[in-house]
Structures are given as C-alpha cells and as structure tokens.
C-alpha cells in the first residue's frame, strides 16, 4: 500500500485516512489547585493516555478523570468500576468520572496510566481502562468504564470526587493519537 507523507499533518494512506502519530502534551505539575485540565484536544483524536507520576492530594477524596466536549466537562453518566488487587475491598462504581482508586487518603501517591479510547464515533462513547499503583503502599488499582459524550471530545480533567481537595505533588501528562 503506497503511503504519502503530508508534512506536519501526518501520514495519508491510499484510502485517505490520516494518521497523525503520537502527540505528547506538556506535562503539568499537580502541586496545586483542585483540577488539572488538558484542553484543545484535536477532533481527530481516537485515544488518550493519561499518565500519573507521584500524584497526591491533601485530602481523602478519590481522584478521578472527567471528559469534556464543546459544552464543557461532563460530570454524570460514567459507568464501570475500579477495584484494588490483593484485597477483599468491594471497589467503587464510576458515576461522576473514571475513578483511579476505591478510596483515598492524603498519603496516597499515584503512578500509572489510564487509556481512554473512542468506542463508538456515532454516539461519542469513550472506553477507559488502566492500572494505577501506589508508591506509599503495596496497592494496585484496575479501572474499566465507558462514557458517552454529547459532542466530540475536546478536553480531559483530573480532579477529585469532592472537587475541593488540592493537588500537592507529582506531574500529569497525556499522549493522544
């Protein structure tokens, strides 16, 4: 199959599809504020990986990822759950976002990635899965869920369920493709 390189716009195949490759955003310090936002995500994006390096908050609220479109960040309609390996903890169902853990404390230090992929373009439904490990204890969390959006995804927010706990350590970045 012949491939044509189209400058910075990506690779165009003989079927007309364009592949723009992996794009990395600028890493953001998660050392203050109640949310970390990645905005202006291009409309061609089909997958986003949210990466956490030593992320902590000053409170006990669970950290979560929320998706947004041209109407803003959506805070309802998330399905799925997160669970902890190696314990009998029941886990936590998603509702207002994709939860990273089943419960939180101020000492939690998070590392890992959550991959969010376009599941159905006609309904703007996204699927999430990932693994978050803690460096402050021997706990690993696995996440899976879905979220339909009202319009094309344009932003990702990392915040807490209560919306008031402050980030106090680490960095967060995204890769999109």
């Amino acid at each position: 199959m012949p491939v044509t390189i189209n400058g910075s716009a990506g690779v165009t195949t003989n079927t007309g599809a364009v592949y723009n490759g992996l794009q990395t955003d600028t890493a953001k310090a998660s050392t203050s504020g109640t949310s970390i936002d990645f905005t202006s995500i291009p409309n061609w994006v089909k997958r986003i990986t949210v990466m956490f390096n030593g992320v902590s908050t000053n409170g006990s609220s669970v950290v979560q990822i929320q998706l947004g479109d041209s109407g803003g960040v959506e805070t309802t309609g998330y399905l799925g759950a997160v669970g902890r390996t190696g314990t009998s903890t029941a886990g936590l169902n998603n509702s207002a976002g994709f939860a990273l853990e089943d419960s939180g404390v101020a000492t939690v230090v998070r590392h890992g990635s959550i991959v969010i992929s376009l599941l159905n373009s006609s309904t703007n439904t996204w699927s999430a899965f990932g693994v978050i490990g803690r460096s402050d204890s021997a706990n690993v969390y696995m996440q899976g869920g879905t979220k339909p959006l009202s319009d094309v995804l344009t932003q990702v927010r990392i915040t807490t369920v209560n919306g008031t706990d402050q980030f106090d350590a680490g960095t967060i970045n995204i890769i999109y493709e």
Side-chain angles (χ1 to χ4, degrees):
M1 164 167 57
V3 175
T4 307
I5 304 296
N6 185 7
S8 63
V11 176
T12 304
T13 67
N14 65 350
T15 62
V18 176
Y19 177 67
N20 292 297
L22 296 174
Q23 306 288 319
T24 303
D25 207 307
T26 301
K28 297 186 179 192
S30 51
T31 55
S32 65
T34 59
S35 65
I36 309 297
D37 292 336
F38 292 91
T39 59
S40 302
I41 295 172
N43 64 0
W44 52 260
V45 168
K46 304 292 187 263
R47 184 181 336 201
I48 299 167
T49 303
V50 184
M51 303 166 292
F52 300 87
N53 179 23
V55 174
S56 177
T57 68
N58 67 355
S60 60
S61 187
V62 169
V63 173
Q64 64 183 357
I65 299 171
Q66 295 175 320
L67 308 179
D69 55 28
S70 59
V73 174
E74 296 194 12
T75 60
T76 61
Y78 294 82
L79 300 173
V82 63
R84 189 182 325 188
T85 62
T87 70
S88 59
T89 303
L92 177 70
N93 284 104
N94 295 322
S95 61
F98 297 124
L100 267 59
E101 64 255 349
D102 59 0
S103 62
V105 294
T107 59
V108 173
V109 182
R110 300 156 187 88
H111 303 269
S113 300
I114 304 291
V115 178
I116 304 164
S117 302
L118 183 60
L119 176 66
N120 184 332
S121 60
S122 65
T123 60
N124 292 308
T125 299
W126 292 80
S127 172
F129 75 92
V131 177
I132 299 293
R134 291 173 55 176
S135 60
D136 62 294
S137 69
N139 286 295
V140 175
Y141 303 91
M142 294 178 293
Q143 154 63 245
T146 60
K147 167 68 175 124
L149 292 173
S150 302
D151 202 354
V152 175
L153 184 139
T154 60
Q155 55 190 310
V156 173
R157 170 173 286 168
I158 298 89
T159 188
T160 58
V161 170
N162 70 13
T164 59
D165 287 357
Q166 299 275 323
F167 287 96
D168 61 9
T171 57
I172 302 172
N173 201 358
I174 64 170
I175 293 175
Y176 54 87
E177 57 185 302

